[in-house]
């Protein structure tokens, strides 16, 4: 028996400067905001799922690259209480290592990366994860050092991508 999981709902990115990261993900990466950014004081229920004690104040925005609000979204969070600076992460650390975002054309993405001075960790490289599927991948950093893979799917280049789906 397995769990009946049928959809990845969201991933969280915790940022150090909310406005800087919101600008990066929306203006530079093209995400749209679902609703409006919001702030809240975490209640006992929220603190329980985060496994934290004490006051938790948070600023948040839900971001998507899809036209469907029920598709997977990115939960951009900034904790405004004094929780200390996070340690730098690498792709080999336990936990969520990086986020993968599909791009339509790697050459266009690389020109954009160069134009905006976005730090490149590695690539672009061509990977063949399975026969008949080729991925061109470059890894960049968001403003807080979160690793982002920009990925071109070769089998989708012949047709346009609609609503974030290929």
């Amino acid at each position: 028996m397995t769990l009946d999981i049928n959809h990845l709902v969201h991933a969280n990115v915790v940022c150090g400067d909310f406005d800087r990261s919101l600008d990066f993900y929306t203006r530079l990466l093209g995400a749209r905001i679902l609703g409006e950014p919001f702030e809240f004081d975490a209640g006992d229920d929220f603190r329980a799922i985060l496994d934290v004690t004490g006051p938790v104040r948070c600023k948040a925005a839900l971001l998507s690259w899809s036209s469907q609000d029920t598709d997977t979204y990115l939960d951009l969070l900034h904790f405004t209480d004094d929780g200390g600076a996070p340690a730098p992460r690498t792709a080999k650390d336990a936990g969520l290592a990086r986020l993968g975002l599909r791009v339509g054309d790697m050459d266009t993405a690389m020109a954009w990366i160069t134009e905006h001075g976005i730090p490149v960790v590695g690539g672009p490289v061509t990977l063949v994860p399975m026969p008949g599927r080729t991925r061109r991948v470059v890894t960049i950093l968001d403003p807080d050092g979160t690793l982002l893979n920009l990925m071109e799917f070769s089998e989708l280049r012949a047709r346009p991508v609609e609503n974030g789906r290929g």
Side-chain angles (χ1 to χ4, degrees):
M1 184 170 122
T2 63
L3 289 174
D4 185 23
I5 296 173
N6 57 36
H7 181 80
L8 174 64
V9 176
H10 70 92
N12 289 345
V13 170
V14 177
C15 61
D17 180 319
F18 184 80
D19 293 330
R20 177 187 68 186
S21 292
L22 185 63
D23 179 67
F24 178 84
Y25 282 96
T26 58
R27 185 177 60 82
L28 294 179
L29 294 188
R32 69 182 179 93
I33 302 171
L34 302 176
E36 295 290 328
F38 55 97
E39 293 187 52
F40 62 95
D41 289 312
D44 290 340
D45 53 352
F46 191 77
R47 287 195 311 271
I49 64 169
L50 294 178
D51 193 27
V52 297
T53 58
V56 176
R57 177 98 181 130
C58 187
K59 190 169 189 178
L62 308 180
L63 309 175
S64 178
W65 287 269
S66 172
S67 64
Q68 303 297 313
D69 289 357
T70 56
D71 284 349
T72 303
Y73 63 90
L74 181 69
D75 195 355
L76 185 66
L77 300 170
H78 173 71
F79 292 97
T80 57
D81 57 322
D82 185 19
R89 293 185 47 82
T90 72
K92 293 176 19 178
D93 291 335
L96 182 64
R98 63 194 180 280
L99 297 174
L101 303 168
R102 188 169 66 210
V103 298
D105 179 73
M106 184 58 70
D107 295 331
T108 302
M110 289 306 299
W112 172 89
I113 289 166
T114 301
E115 176 185 339
H116 291 89
I118 305 299
V120 174
V121 174
V125 297
T126 299
L127 305 174
V128 182
M130 61 186 71
R133 297 189 180 218
T134 303
R135 307 285 184 258
R136 286 182 68 200
V137 181
V138 63
T139 303
I140 62 172
L141 297 174
D142 83 353
D144 289 296
T146 300
L147 296 163
L148 305 174
N149 287 143
L150 301 183
M151 308 170 72
E152 175 190 273
F153 288 46
S154 64
E155 66 273 15
L156 300 178
R157 285 203 27 103
R159 59 186 175 160
V161 176
E162 285 186 30
N163 299 329
R165 298 168 188 249

